Amino acid sequence: MGPEEFRAAGHELIDWIADYRARIPELPVQAQVGPGEVAGKLPCRAPEHGEPFGQVLADLEDIVVPGVTQVQHPRYFGWFPSNASLASVLGDLASSGLGALGITWQSAPALTEVEEVVVEWLRELTALPESWKGVIQDTASSACLVALLAARERATDYSEARGGLQAESAPLTVYTTRQAHSSVLKAVALAGYGQDNLRFVDVDPVTYAMRADALAALLEADAAAGRRPAAVVVNVGTTGTTAVDPLAQIVPLAREHGMWVHVDAAMAGSALLLPEMRWLVDGVEGADSLAWNPHKWLGTVLDCSLLYVADPGHLIRVMSTNPSYLRSAVDGEVTQFKDWGIPLGRRFRALKLWFHLRLDGVEAIRARLRRDLDNARWLAEQVSSTPGWRVLAPVVLQTVVLRHEPSGAVSETGVVLDADTLNAHTLAWADSVNASGAALVTPSMLDGTWSVRVSIGAERTERQDVEELWRLLKQAVLESRPGTSPTRSPTS
Amino acid sequence: MGPEEFRAAGHELIDWIADYRARIPELPVQAQVGPGEVAGKLPCRAPEHGEPFGQVLADLEDIVVPGVTQVQHPRYFGWFPSNASLASVLGDLASSGLGALGITWQSAPALTEVEEVVVEWLRELTALPESWKGVIQDTASSACLVALLAARERATDYSEARGGLQAESAPLTVYTTRQAHSSVLKAVALAGYGQDNLRFVDVDPVTYAMRADALAALLEADAAAGRRPAAVVVNVGTTGTTAVDPLAQIVPLAREHGMWVHVDAAMAGSALLLPEMRWLVDGVEGADSLAWNPHKWLGTVLDCSLLYVADPGHLIRVMSTNPSYLRSAVDGEVTQFKDWGIPLGRRFRALKLWFHLRLDGVEAIRARLRRDLDNARWLAEQVSSTPGWRVLAPVVLQTVVLRHEPSGAVSETGVVLDADTLNAHTLAWADSVNASGAALVTPSMLDGTWSVRVSIGAERTERQDVEELWRLLKQAVLESRPGTSPTRSPTS
């Protein structure tokens, strides 16, 4: 395709996207397709000859759109906000259009330097320590793996350069809580620590935050048993309940044992743009790394995760390679982001952050985040003050974990008496809301029982959408009959 | 930014990209900026209020474009082809515009199923085994890491679920050649094997391909010494010289020792669309995994790497997590790509492959690949038949490794007599070509001496551009004076 064909098709696609975004509120939130339905509409071979653009656009409309859960919908309250602001979409288009190759500074100096500048803008906006340096990763999963690799290599004095982790004698251990995101467990497995060496620290039964005294006791016991504490992953805004582990109390314990402190603030990091929310990371100046995802609540289109580290020199030593064909005369004067993560080749991801911040402006972004926090507080108040309903965890951010409790299923103090009935009821009404397409919420296990997470923060969610959700939830409970919902495995 | 503002700005940006692509031939290939020059033009804080789109577009033009090495230029012969076809740019724009969230099948069924279909299209086009399944990764670096993690877990019967790699006694070893891409060394380090357990197999001195007899001998010796061969990375089209390791001879040795066979065909994989090039992977039906990058020579815009595996069940067991908030009633009936790689959240990357193949068509892509192979053969003939010039490795793909040899520096049989003079000369003329902006080539070490790689395959490179390059190279040699070039570290 040449530039002029691209121009014509590009204008069509821009119009299509603008129209699509405008009519999202009319679409069902949850995709209404069954397994294999989308694949069944596609030919089983690639076309030998080029097809007209109109045909591809028609398939985008007729096959793809109905097959996508509309996370940009104002009544999307599912997993977590996954905003794709239109300003950032333009930045991403600029990146693809440029077609730059990020393998070294030399291959695209601007790709490296705009990233350095924008990541520093966000460091300043989130008040992270001035000496920290950041890099864009694809996701917090990768960022957590990178952090745990850095921790492993610090604890073993760079075993990768010798016999590897397999040559180590005393086992390295990693600490977090059962509220940690699944990516933490995955990173522990992939980095080679082994599941047996992942220690789950007890949480407070009300806040679901890590108990520092429990961590201290575990550390003492492990050290006494000859284990080597290597890292603690501190959760700031857990996926389940947005619990906030007490970083300031954890840091001194980590220092005592020489442990790496990684802060996983994947969703909550956006809140650090608000000065009144900076308490979330009190004590961060004593941490080693922190990751958060502008591609969630902030709204820079996927994939855009920020990893900040206190000691970039160490990270570079762990991740660097230096083959002859990537060397140049300016090495040593420039940043080589290939040595800050796993992939060698990198997109010009900084452009989507740059466009997003410049076109929307920080003031408007802060106002939107505050709107969402207000909406969550409003919903929590409605739920708490309505008989039969309960808010199950403190609402410190934009997520409300709630449950409707049929009489007899739960005691007055909140003890679950009849878990089977309660679970069937919860899944039934939540699934009926989701199946209707009118809104989307996420069933989730808490203390072994199903609850429902309402994660507020889609870019277009206004108060009226939260009011409508609350009406839908109450209506779904009235209409649902226990035992009619599809089951799913309760094991984790 | 709302849909209407997006529409207006989007049209401007599409026009800008079309114009930019059309005028790339007039731009210098190598970015003409020094360290810090781009960053110095940007403000040190994010703007509090939104800026007009025209201002951002002006900065894209004035600051970013001069700061980018133009890998879409017809006289870009650097690292490797890094094509960003305009059809795939549209697909990527559709992905961003949709703003879909790929965490589970449920979150975006079409994201999963279009990926399954398109990856199968490419399996069929490249004649990989019918039973193999594929997934899109960001880069071959990540794909190689995933493969070596899968190998580690197969060799240790899933140590990740117990004490991890650190609990293993006999060391696992990995095999490749010194011609392997730096990402292989990095993956070995990150997966915890340790550098001491990466065994470099001797290569043939003419073809730079792995010697199967040398591998057999190493394996015998390692097994006898109590080491456990876990994986071999077979290079199909090395970065240095596009050497092709003899897969069909390696597979039986790997089977004998129970080793995982990963094929790294990052750049060369595109050639498998040509039936006459399928010999590159003779024996592939006995391998365990293969990765190649449509984002290189094929031209699907970064980042788009394909990883195929023979046993997806094993990969899924290594990479899977199953938290309650990601469970649904259709689990078991659908593919969950989160369990096929490191990141949980995934972009709708299949769209750029889908758009690319459908809008350009396979026939046109094949014709372009054949054009590039022809151009490489033509250049190699010119070089070989010109006194003072030498082609240093067999030209089996689209890369020509060459050198100009001043009299006295190299013997008639090709033995380097005066490496210092030769290196200074090579770097001087190559750097002068690159600094001119007229073309870009990559200096690279081969057998301890600097050579120059000419990697042909930019989408817009026609024969006349290769002719012009050859003229530029000869002219640069005539004009260069040894000893005037910046030096760089020869250590690897």
Side-chain angles (χ1 to χ4, degrees):
Chain A
M1 175 178 278
E4 290 315 311
E5 267 180 287
F6 169 83
R7 191 190 306 270
H11 285 308
E12 271 192 80
L13 184 56
I14 289 288
D15 281 333
W16 182 88
I17 292 171
D19 294 344
Y20 161 74
R21 288 293 187 113
R23 73 187 159 89
I24 284 180
E26 299 150 33
L27 297 173
V29 188
Q30 180 170 283
Q32 308 282 306
V33 295
E37 204 173 319
V38 170
K41 290 179 182 160
L42 305 178
C44 56
R45 289 192 169 193
E48 195 63 20
H49 304 289
E51 299 176 48
F53 184 68
Q55 202 155 318
V56 176
L57 199 57
D59 285 351
L60 192 64
E61 174 77 36
D62 300 337
I63 301 175
V64 172
V65 169
V68 168
T69 293
Q70 306 293 336
V71 299
Q72 309 306 323
H73 196 292
R75 289 192 304 282
Y76 165 70
F77 302 99
W79 305 282
F80 45 78
S82 181
N83 294 313
S85 69
L86 287 166
S88 68
V89 170
L90 292 174
D92 209 38
L93 168 58
S95 169
S96 294
L98 278 169
L101 170 65
I103 51 174
T104 60
W105 178 88
Q106 196 78 54
S107 75
L111 185 152
T112 300
E113 297 192 8
V114 175
E115 183 162 335
E116 286 183 287
V117 168
V118 175
V119 163
E120 168 60 18
W121 283 5
L122 280 158
R123 186 210 58 73
E124 196 256 337
L125 286 172
T126 53
L128 293 178
E130 275 182 40
S131 61
W132 285 23
K133 299 289 177 197
V135 60
I136 303 177
Q137 305 267 339
D138 59 355
T139 61
S141 303
S142 300
C144 184
L145 176 56
V146 168
L148 288 186
L149 290 170
R152 185 188 79 185
E153 295 304 309
R154 194 173 76 179
T156 62
D157 195 22
Y158 305 98
S159 66
E160 63 171 14
R162 302 186 309 275
L165 187 57
Q166 50 185 345
E168 295 296 308
S169 46
L172 304 176
T173 46
V174 179
Y175 301 79
T176 193
T177 77
R178 288 203 186 274
Q179 302 295 316
H181 189 261
S182 59
S183 58
V184 178
L185 285 64
K186 187 163 176 170
V188 167
L190 299 187
Y193 292 99
Q195 208 168 289
D196 291 352
N197 297 307
L198 175 58
R199 325 287 284 173
F200 291 112
V201 184
D202 283 348
V203 296
D204 179 279
V206 174
T207 64
Y208 297 96
M210 185 184 287
R211 279 176 42 205
D213 60 334
L215 174 63
L218 254 183
L219 286 169
E220 288 302 325
D222 281 345
R227 300 186 188 98
R228 289 185 292 165
V232 56
V233 179
V234 178
N235 309 288
V236 170
T238 58
T239 306
T241 69
T242 65
V244 180
D245 293 343
L247 184 55
Q249 294 172 46
I250 293 167
V251 159
L253 297 170
R255 284 284 152 271
E256 201 179 307
H257 291 267
M259 282 199 300
W260 187 280
V261 179
H262 177 64
V263 181
D264 178 6
M267 202 282 301
S270 301
L272 299 177
L273 269 77
L274 307 178
E276 67 271 27
M277 296 302 289
R278 302 258 167 84
W279 61 268
L280 288 168
V281 293
D282 271 352
V284 72
E285 60 286 349
D288 296 285
S289 55
L290 179 147
W292 72 279
N293 296 347
H295 70 222
K296 288 194 163 83
W297 193 11
L298 194 80
T300 309
V301 62
L302 252 175
D303 37 10
C304 187
S305 179
L306 294 175
L307 173 65
Y308 288 92
V309 291
D311 180 0
H314 171 69
L315 179 63
I316 291 166
R317 185 162 163 194
V318 172
M319 309 297 286
S320 69
T321 58
N322 187 26
S324 64
Y325 49 85
L326 298 181
R327 278 175 233 153
S328 80
V330 297
D331 296 349
E333 296 172 61
V334 296
T335 297
Q336 300 289 15
F337 277 131
K338 71 182 172 65
D339 299 334
W340 293 58
I342 294 166
L344 169 61
R346 308 174 80 243
R347 273 175 69 80
F348 201 153
R349 287 207 190 98
L351 284 181
K352 55 191 180 189
L353 264 173
W354 198 48
F355 273 54
H356 186 194
L357 293 173
R358 292 185 65 182
L359 294 172
D360 283 1
V362 176
E363 187 183 47
I365 292 172
R366 282 202 197 97
R368 179 165 60 74
L369 298 172
R370 288 193 173 111
R371 173 201 68 180
D372 299 335
L373 292 170
D374 276 348
N375 281 338
R377 279 189 289 266
W378 178 86
L379 178 64
E381 280 162 22
Q382 306 306 307
V383 174
S384 299
S385 61
T386 305
W389 290 83
R390 194 188 301 266
V391 173
L392 298 168
V395 178
V396 292
L397 282 157
Q398 42 54 275
T399 303
V400 182
V401 186
L402 51 80
R403 197 160 60 196
H404 177 261
E405 298 171 345
S407 66
V410 180
S411 78
E412 275 183 24
T413 56
V415 178
V416 175
L417 302 173
D418 181 353
D420 287 349
T421 303
L422 183 59
N423 284 337
H425 175 64
T426 305
L427 290 176
W429 68 255
D431 285 349
S432 81
V433 169
N434 292 346
S436 76
L440 186 71
V441 293
T442 306
S444 164
M445 299 282 282
L446 189 64
D447 295 333
T449 313
W450 285 101
S451 61
V452 170
R453 290 170 68 258
V454 175
S455 185
I456 296 171
E459 193 179 7
R460 289 162 73 178
T461 300
E462 299 292 345
R463 174 64 56 85
Q464 69 203 47
D465 301 298
V466 184
E467 289 170 356
E468 174 63 10
L469 173 76
W470 179 222
R471 198 189 62 72
L472 289 166
L473 297 189
K474 287 185 291 185
Q475 184 185 322
V477 160
L478 279 178
E479 290 171 1
S480 85
R481 289 172 305 158
T484 57
S485 169
T487 56
R488 69 203 78 181
S489 156
T491 55
S492 74
Chain B
M1 175 179 281
E4 291 315 312
E5 264 179 290
F6 168 82
R7 190 189 307 269
H11 285 305
E12 272 191 79
L13 184 55
I14 289 288
D15 282 332
W16 182 86
I17 292 171
D19 294 343
Y20 161 73
R21 287 292 186 114
R23 73 186 158 88
I24 284 180
E26 299 150 34
L27 297 173
V29 188
Q30 181 171 284
Q32 309 281 307
V33 296
E37 203 173 320
V38 170
K41 291 178 180 158
L42 305 176
C44 56
R45 291 196 167 189
E48 194 63 21
H49 305 289
E51 299 176 48
F53 184 68
Q55 202 155 319
V56 176
L57 199 56
D59 284 351
L60 192 62
E61 174 77 37
D62 301 337
I63 301 174
V64 173
V65 169
V68 169
T69 293
Q70 305 294 337
V71 298
Q72 309 305 323
H73 196 292
R75 289 193 302 282
Y76 165 70
F77 303 97
W79 305 283
F80 45 77
S82 181
N83 294 313
S85 70
L86 287 166
S88 69
V89 170
L90 292 173
D92 209 39
L93 168 58
S95 169
S96 295
L98 278 169
L101 170 64
I103 51 173
T104 60
W105 177 89
Q106 196 77 56
S107 75
L111 185 151
T112 300
E113 297 192 8
V114 175
E115 182 162 335
E116 286 182 288
V117 168
V118 175
V119 163
E120 168 60 17
W121 283 4
L122 280 158
R123 186 209 58 74
E124 196 256 340
L125 287 172
T126 53
L128 292 178
E130 276 183 38
S131 62
W132 285 24
K133 298 288 176 198
V135 60
I136 303 177
Q137 306 267 339
D138 58 356
T139 61
S141 304
S142 300
C144 184
L145 176 57
V146 168
L148 289 185
L149 291 169
R152 184 189 79 186
E153 294 304 309
R154 194 173 76 178
T156 61
D157 194 22
Y158 306 99
S159 65
E160 63 170 15
R162 304 185 308 275
L165 186 58
Q166 51 185 345
E168 295 294 309
S169 45
L172 303 176
T173 45
V174 179
Y175 301 78
T176 195
T177 76
R178 288 203 186 274
Q179 301 295 316
H181 189 261
S182 60
S183 58
V184 178
L185 285 65
K186 186 163 176 170
V188 166
L190 300 186
Y193 291 99
Q195 207 169 291
D196 291 351
N197 298 306
L198 175 57
R199 324 287 283 172
F200 290 112
V201 185
D202 283 347
V203 297
D204 179 278
V206 173
T207 65
Y208 297 97
M210 185 185 288
R211 280 176 41 204
D213 60 333
L215 174 62
L218 254 183
L219 286 169
E220 289 303 324
D222 281 346
R227 299 186 188 98
R228 289 186 294 166
V232 55
V233 178
V234 178
N235 309 289
V236 170
T238 57
T239 306
T241 69
T242 66
V244 180
D245 293 343
L247 184 55
Q249 295 171 45
I250 293 167
V251 160
L253 296 170
R255 285 286 152 267
E256 202 179 307
H257 291 267
M259 281 199 301
W260 187 281
V261 179
H262 177 64
V263 181
D264 178 6
M267 202 282 300
S270 300
L272 299 177
L273 270 78
L274 307 178
E276 68 271 27
M277 295 303 288
R278 302 260 167 82
W279 62 269
L280 287 168
V281 293
D282 272 351
V284 72
E285 60 285 349
D288 295 286
S289 55
L290 179 148
W292 73 278
N293 296 347
H295 69 223
K296 288 195 163 82
W297 193 11
L298 194 79
T300 309
V301 62
L302 251 176
D303 38 8
C304 186
S305 178
L306 295 174
L307 173 65
Y308 289 92
V309 291
D311 181 0
H314 170 69
L315 179 63
I316 291 166
R317 186 162 163 194
V318 173
M319 309 298 286
S320 69
T321 58
N322 187 27
S324 64
Y325 48 85
L326 298 181
R327 278 176 234 154
S328 81
V330 297
D331 294 349
E333 297 172 60
V334 296
T335 298
Q336 299 288 15
F337 276 130
K338 71 182 174 63
D339 299 334
W340 294 57
I342 293 165
L344 170 61
R346 308 173 79 244
R347 273 176 70 80
F348 202 153
R349 286 207 191 100
L351 285 181
K352 55 190 179 189
L353 264 172
W354 200 47
F355 274 53
H356 184 196
L357 293 172
R358 292 185 67 183
L359 294 173
D360 283 0
V362 176
E363 188 183 46
I365 293 173
R366 284 204 197 95
R368 179 164 59 73
L369 298 173
R370 288 194 175 110
R371 175 200 65 181
D372 299 335
L373 291 170
D374 277 348
N375 281 339
R377 279 189 291 265
W378 178 86
L379 179 64
E381 280 162 23
Q382 307 306 308
V383 174
S384 300
S385 61
T386 305
W389 289 83
R390 194 187 300 268
V391 174
L392 297 167
V395 177
V396 293
L397 282 157
Q398 41 55 272
T399 303
V400 182
V401 186
L402 51 78
R403 197 162 59 197
H404 178 262
E405 298 172 346
S407 65
V410 181
S411 78
E412 276 182 22
T413 55
V415 178
V416 175
L417 302 174
D418 182 355
D420 287 349
T421 302
L422 183 60
N423 283 338
H425 176 63
T426 305
L427 291 175
W429 69 256
D431 285 349
S432 81
V433 169
N434 292 346
S436 77
L440 186 69
V441 293
T442 306
S444 165
M445 298 284 281
L446 189 63
D447 295 333
T449 313
W450 284 100
S451 61
V452 169
R453 290 171 68 259
V454 175
S455 186
I456 295 171
E459 194 179 8
R460 289 163 75 179
T461 300
E462 300 292 347
R463 174 65 56 85
Q464 71 204 46
D465 301 299
V466 184
E467 289 170 356
E468 173 65 9
L469 173 75
W470 179 222
R471 197 189 64 72
L472 288 167
L473 298 190
K474 287 185 291 186
Q475 183 186 323
V477 161
L478 279 177
E479 289 172 0
S480 84
R481 289 172 303 160
T484 58
S485 169
T487 56
R488 69 204 77 181
S489 157
T491 56
S492 73

